Amino acid sequence: MALVAIVGRPNVGKSTLFNRLTKSRKAIVSDEAGTTRDRQYGKCEWNGREFSVVDTGGWVVKSDDIFEEEIRKQVIIATEEADLVLFLVDLTTGLTDWDEDVALILRRAKLPVLLVVNKADNFDQYYEAAEFYKLGLGDPICISSATGSGTGDLLDIVVEKLKDDKGELVEEGIPRFAVVGRPNAGKSSLINAFIGEDRHIVTEIAGTTRDSIYTRYDKFGFDFYLVDTAGIRRKNKVTEDLEFYSVMRSIRAIENSDVCILMIDATRGIEAQDMNIFQLIQRNNKSLVVVVNKWDLVEDKDQIVVKTFENAIRDRMAPFTDFPIVFASAVTKQRIYKVLETAKQVYLNRTARVGTSKLNEVMLPLIEAFPPPSVKGKYIKIKYCMQVPDTQVPTFVFYANLPQYVKEPYRRFLENKIRENWQMTGCPIHVFIRQK
């Protein structure tokens, strides 16, 4: 899936445009050393084409010099990781020195850049956008992200620029596992523990337009692709903001995977950035295995500590709690084989199918014993259910006489009963209520 980054100086309307494109007002927030930063990323669909959108804004620091440097870092990261950049400028304030600095970086980048002039609320203002030709980034595209004016034309151009995206060139039918997590959680160490010594069993497959690297692993009865993610490559990038960089790379890795192995540092516990990546996994409907790494550094490792750690993770990630947790150490190779076994089982759970007769035999008596609550004096009856074939995520349909009255708590009840009776650990489940 293509990645589009929105860059620009502060207060030009990047977040407003992001919300307009993704049809959402949700922002993922991460706290860091006295600074609150909004990390926003989502999906946009236009004319049957879907792509990811990243908002690079939200940086607030006190010094103007530091501020300019932080913006520069974000723009550099965006130009290296994105397939297309939307450079947003403000028509009401006109051209500024910061705009020219960002444009200088973008002109050197070898990727498409669209110059978007925001806050053009009426056609008379379009003539004022001519001054932005000075940036040397082509014709300015006038929009108003607040009212939506011009955004349709902008999206037409975006889809046209992304039309050559050819997707992944990997063998179908082989699971794809992505090792994701915040910086220094041990992702690289785990990958090295998987493939480190006998490199003749590893095949690197290049050629994807998303700049992802797939590593084929076929050892000890396993056969899957490892999807490259932040921290595995580009070791020389030590001056950039690693947190933001990891988010940009995690988006690609998660979208290109079947099962996500989320690494958590046992010495630091679950943090805000872990939750950001977990929410990315949920949004993309990917299966999940949580690996608590660096377990060898924890002194007290009795059952009470293990249970407390597990409960803390599940409480933070609720309401989705049906996923495996493996306590491992990539350095000492403690339980790394267990990580592979668990990821493989979660993938099999994701692809499992439940027969219609068996599903009705188990679920209908449960529904009869605990029916949906009546609404406005009307009783809801569910008489039939089935699993939808050939779906990326296990999807179940329940046919009722009044599907519009079945609320979310009862859908969750049905999902929990499915999980109790069939092995769906680590996988998201979709439950739909339809008119019988």
Side-chain angles (χ1 to χ4, degrees):
M1 186 178 297
L3 186 62
V4 176
I6 305 174
V7 303
R9 60 181 175 81
N11 302 321
V12 294
K14 296 187 298 297
S15 295
T16 307
L17 178 61
F18 171 86
N19 289 335
R20 174 71 60 179
L21 297 182
T22 60
K23 300 179 182 179
S24 169
R25 293 193 175 274
K26 296 180 179 179
I28 297 177
V29 178
S30 173
D31 297 326
E32 177 181 321
T35 300
T36 300
R37 304 171 179 175
D38 286 336
R39 297 285 186 255
Q40 300 188 90
Y41 27 85
K43 293 187 185 302
C44 176
E45 185 175 355
W46 186 257
N47 288 341
R49 179 67 187 275
E50 191 177 55
F51 54 90
S52 294
V53 183
V54 179
D55 176 13
T56 61
W59 295 68
V60 179
V61 291
K62 295 180 180 178
S63 168
D64 288 342
D65 293 335
I66 297 177
F67 192 26
E68 187 174 349
E69 181 62 25
E70 295 298 340
I71 295 175
R72 186 184 301 274
K73 288 179 183 179
Q74 292 188 70
V75 174
I76 292 173
I77 296 171
T79 56
E80 290 177 345
E81 295 303 321
D83 299 294
L84 175 68
V85 171
L86 302 182
F87 177 31
L88 207 61
V89 293
D90 188 341
L91 182 64
T92 59
T93 58
L95 190 62
T96 67
D97 293 340
W98 276 349
D99 292 329
E100 293 180 350
D101 288 343
V102 175
L104 179 62
I105 298 172
L106 294 177
R107 285 199 301 270
R108 295 170 179 171
K110 297 180 180 180
L111 81 165
V113 178
L114 296 181
L115 176 61
V116 183
V117 182
N118 193 26
K119 304 181 183 179
D121 297 323
N122 57 68
F123 290 108
D124 295 335
Q125 294 179 297
Y126 281 26
Y127 299 104
E128 302 174 17
E131 69 169 319
F132 292 102
Y133 277 105
K134 190 183 299 184
L135 296 175
L137 293 173
D139 296 332
I141 305 169
C142 294
I143 69 164
S144 173
S145 55
T147 64
S149 174
T151 53
D153 295 334
L154 172 63
L155 285 171
D156 286 339
I157 299 174
V158 169
V159 171
E160 178 68 21
K161 292 286 186 181
L162 298 176
K163 66 180 181 180
D164 294 331
D165 183 14
K166 298 178 182 179
E168 309 143 12
L169 301 178
V170 296
E171 189 175 338
E172 294 296 328
I174 298 179
R176 290 169 288 182
F177 299 162
V179 182
V180 297
R182 55 179 172 76
N184 302 320
K187 301 182 296 297
S188 299
S189 299
L190 183 65
I191 297 258
N192 290 336
F194 286 161
I195 67 175
E197 298 178 358
D198 299 319
R199 297 198 59 85
H200 62 275
I201 63 160
V202 176
T203 305
E204 289 188 352
I205 296 180
T208 81
T209 57
R210 296 193 200 37
D211 194 28
S212 291
I213 284 187
Y214 293 84
T215 303
R216 183 77 170 267
Y217 184 98
D218 55 355
K219 188 178 181 182
F220 303 130
F222 295 102
D223 189 7
F224 59 87
Y225 288 112
L226 279 173
V227 184
D228 193 359
T229 183
I232 299 176
R233 297 183 293 143
R234 304 194 181 187
K235 299 292 185 182
N236 59 322
K237 297 187 179 299
V238 294
T239 61
E240 298 172 354
D241 184 279
L242 293 179
E243 181 182 4
F244 181 72
Y245 184 66
S246 70
V247 170
M248 295 282 289
R249 299 296 301 278
S250 294
I251 292 174
R252 294 178 179 275
I254 290 170
E255 288 176 344
N256 297 335
S257 69
D258 295 308
V259 178
C260 294
I261 301 174
L262 175 58
M263 304 285 290
I264 295 177
D265 190 337
T267 62
R268 299 176 62 176
I270 185 167
E271 298 182 338
Q273 182 68 352
D274 299 317
M275 290 304 302
N276 291 348
I277 297 175
F278 169 71
Q279 291 175 31
L280 268 175
I281 295 170
Q282 277 201 311
R283 289 183 185 181
N284 286 275
N285 293 315
K286 302 300 182 180
S287 299
L288 173 66
V289 176
V290 174
V291 176
V292 182
N293 192 32
K294 305 182 184 180
W295 194 241
D296 57 310
L297 301 180
V298 178
E299 295 181 359
D300 299 324
K301 291 181 276 194
D302 55 23
Q303 288 299 317
I304 298 177
V305 174
V306 172
K307 197 65 179 176
T308 302
F309 215 116
E310 284 190 359
N311 291 338
I313 294 174
R314 298 189 194 280
D315 288 344
R316 288 290 300 275
M317 297 183 178
F320 179 49
T321 59
D322 187 20
F323 53 83
I325 301 176
V326 181
F327 294 85
S329 171
V331 174
T332 65
K333 299 187 178 181
Q334 178 186 13
R335 297 192 190 92
I336 63 168
Y337 192 81
K338 179 72 172 178
V339 173
L340 295 180
E341 286 184 327
T342 305
K344 181 179 180 181
Q345 184 58 51
V346 166
Y347 175 77
L348 295 176
N349 296 345
R350 183 184 181 90
T351 57
R353 294 291 176 261
V354 181
T356 302
S357 59
K358 185 66 176 179
L359 184 66
N360 283 269
E361 178 184 333
V362 174
M363 294 300 297
L364 292 184
L366 291 173
I367 294 172
E368 188 175 351
F370 302 96
S374 60
V375 178
K376 300 178 182 178
K378 297 180 180 179
Y379 292 94
I380 304 166
K381 297 180 180 180
I382 298 177
K383 294 294 186 182
Y384 180 74
C385 56
M386 63 174 289
Q387 183 178 4
V388 180
D390 301 325
T391 56
Q392 292 289 329
V393 179
T395 303
F396 298 87
V397 178
F398 292 79
Y399 293 92
N401 58 336
L402 299 168
Q404 66 273 22
Y405 292 143
V406 179
K407 305 301 181 184
E408 184 61 29
Y410 197 77
R411 295 174 193 264
R412 196 162 293 164
F413 164 79
L414 295 175
E415 177 184 335
N416 291 338
K417 292 303 177 184
I418 292 173
R419 292 187 183 277
E420 288 177 10
N421 288 277
W422 291 277
Q423 182 73 345
M424 298 285 179
T425 301
C427 303
I429 294 178
H430 290 169
V431 174
F432 297 101
I433 312 297
R434 295 286 183 260
Q435 183 73 41
K436 70 176 182 179

